Amino acid sequence: MANGTERGDQDRSIKRFLLIINCVLLSIGISGGPLVMRLYFVRGGHRVWLSSFLETAGFPIMLFPLAASYIQRRNHHRLSAAEGSKPKIISMKPPLFAAAAFVGILTGLDDYLYAYGVARLPVSTSSLIIATQLGFTAFFAFFIVRQKFTAYSVNAVVLLTVGAGVLALHTSVDRPIGESKKEYVMGFLMTLVAAVLYGFILPSVELVYKKTKQPLTYSLVMEFQFVMCLFASLFCVVGMVVNNDFKVIPREARNSKHGEVNYYVVLVGSAIIWQTFFLGAMGVIFCASSLLSAIIMAVCLPVTEVLAVFFYKEKFQAEKGVSLLLSLWGFVSYFYGEIKQAKKMKKKMETELAQCP
């Protein structure tokens, strides 16, 4: 019994460590990704399909942690002298692969919708619209994975959604100079649809994790992300081919305001930072839930707005300050509730163990 308890505590500690790491990765990705993507358009870029492709094109980076994970599993198998087959390079089975491919195609569509909005809206505006995905995630999570809500999590969802709503009432003053009202409205609507779609994707991934019949490890989560991003990228490549992006990119790079090298640096930087976002998002779902993943995204978006004001000289109205305050309040509310719930569960386990003969 003692060994089992110690092993359980160790597993929880590892998962808590992974959760912290993935929260950091998600925070970096969701805060920096929109800024780098907008930088491409601010500097004269016009290819929406290219920008959507870059959101998942960094997936080859995952080969490094996947290779390290395989080497670790192989060494562990060798040292433990365990019987049975050796660890496989690819542990994902066909049903999980198919699910990852399907989610990847949906992600590719979502990437295009979001990139379309970023091309036509200021970062602060697109960020506040995307923050509404928390409400959509909570809605879909309730029906798809039967997400249980506490008073604190409901409070967090309401505060973060209201924070985004406060800003949404004052977006008209942010319309870029020279952009028509029709283009602005289309960007607004496409970004909103992207928020709805990603609100559906997050709990769908959580459902896949729960329904998979093979043991779910962090290594398997990385494989899932690799396949998901691969198919999302392929979806966007098709759009790039149809839109002749590959022919235009070299010319666009030569005509870039800040030079050809800087142009490609922005593209590579965008691919890398968006990959941290996806790894963090998938990892948080594995360690906790899709709802927590959405909450972290929502609380980081006002930070993106502040950075947009600093780097792109966008307006920071009083409404954005109120949104930031509400977001931080909601974030603290959620984690306070989680801490209380964890203490309650620990006390319950200790009571059950004390009653055992």
Side-chain angles (χ1 to χ4, degrees):
M1 178 69 72
N3 290 335
T5 303
E6 290 176 4
R7 192 178 299 111
D9 291 340
Q10 186 179 15
D11 291 342
R12 280 191 292 273
S13 297
I14 293 173
K15 209 162 189 177
R16 193 177 298 116
F17 174 75
L18 285 174
L19 177 60
I20 293 172
I21 295 296
N22 282 283
C23 284
V24 172
L25 291 173
L26 177 56
S27 300
I28 293 172
I30 195 62
S31 299
L35 293 171
V36 181
M37 178 181 281
R38 182 60 182 169
L39 182 63
Y40 164 76
F41 293 109
V42 168
R43 289 186 174 182
H46 298 92
R47 318 313 293 181
V48 175
W49 277 111
L50 170 62
S51 293
S52 59
F53 167 73
L54 292 174
E55 289 185 63
T56 52
F59 69 90
I61 296 172
M62 296 302 301
L63 291 173
F64 294 103
L66 282 171
S69 175
Y70 170 71
I71 293 171
Q72 183 184 28
R73 285 184 283 122
R74 188 184 62 182
N75 292 339
H76 178 74
H77 181 274
R78 185 185 302 160
L79 292 173
S80 62
E83 297 181 358
S85 59
K86 294 181 180 179
K88 297 179 180 179
I89 296 178
I90 302 175
S91 57
M92 181 180 290
K93 294 181 179 179
L96 190 59
F97 180 90
F102 177 71
V103 172
I105 293 172
L106 290 180
T107 301
L109 174 59
D110 186 77
D111 289 345
Y112 174 77
L113 294 170
Y114 179 66
Y116 188 97
V118 171
R120 287 157 178 79
L121 303 174
V123 175
S124 55
T125 304
S126 61
S127 294
L128 69 91
I129 300 169
I130 284 294
T132 61
Q133 78 177 20
L134 175 60
F136 298 120
T137 301
F139 174 80
F140 288 119
F142 178 79
F143 290 102
I144 295 176
V145 294
R146 304 300 179 189
Q147 174 73 49
K148 294 182 180 179
F149 291 90
T150 65
Y152 296 100
S153 60
V154 171
N155 185 51
V157 170
V158 171
L159 287 171
L160 289 165
T161 305
V162 169
V166 167
L167 287 168
L169 297 174
H170 298 268
T171 53
S172 59
V173 297
D174 280 344
R175 193 168 72 193
I177 298 174
E179 184 174 282
S180 68
K181 186 175 181 180
K182 180 180 178 181
E183 289 177 327
Y184 182 86
V185 171
M186 279 298 297
F188 194 101
L189 292 176
M190 294 284 261
T191 308
L192 183 61
V193 175
V196 176
L197 181 56
Y198 208 66
F200 173 77
I201 290 173
L202 290 177
S204 297
V205 171
E206 185 177 355
L207 180 65
V208 171
Y209 287 173
K210 288 183 176 181
K211 294 295 184 180
T212 182
K213 295 182 180 179
Q214 59 184 117
L216 187 64
T217 62
Y218 192 66
S219 177
L220 191 60
V221 169
M222 289 191 291
E223 288 185 25
F224 184 92
Q225 181 196 338
F226 184 90
V227 174
M228 181 194 77
C229 290
L230 169 63
F231 276 85
S233 300
L234 290 174
F235 178 88
C236 295
V237 164
V238 173
M240 291 176 68
V241 171
V242 173
N243 204 42
N244 292 321
D245 280 11
F246 289 104
K247 295 180 180 179
V248 177
I249 289 171
R251 183 171 71 247
E252 196 173 66
R254 289 192 298 270
N255 297 333
S256 176
K257 296 179 182 178
H258 297 272
E260 191 171 351
V261 174
N262 284 335
Y263 175 88
Y264 288 112
V265 167
V266 170
L267 298 190
V268 173
S270 181
I272 292 174
I273 200 165
W274 276 118
Q275 198 58 208
T276 65
F277 162 76
F278 281 106
L279 178 58
M282 299 300 105
V284 170
I285 294 174
F286 166 70
C287 297
S289 68
S290 56
L291 180 62
L292 177 58
S293 185
I295 284 176
I296 293 173
M297 292 180 208
V299 79
C300 287
L301 288 172
V303 177
T304 307
E305 294 164 18
V306 173
L307 293 175
V309 170
F310 180 77
F311 288 111
Y312 299 137
K313 310 303 179 184
E314 294 182 3
K315 297 178 181 178
F316 189 86
Q317 301 98 335
E319 293 81 7
K320 293 182 181 179
V322 173
S323 175
L324 179 60
L325 179 62
L326 289 173
S327 297
L328 293 174
W329 184 6
F331 186 71
V332 171
S333 173
Y334 178 83
F335 276 99
Y336 178 74
E338 288 298 298
I339 292 171
K340 286 195 68 174
Q341 187 71 10
K343 288 182 178 179
K344 185 178 178 181
M345 291 296 294
K346 185 177 181 180
K347 187 176 180 180
K348 183 179 178 181
M349 287 179 63
E350 289 175 351
T351 302
E352 290 177 352
L353 289 172
Q355 292 175 349
C356 290

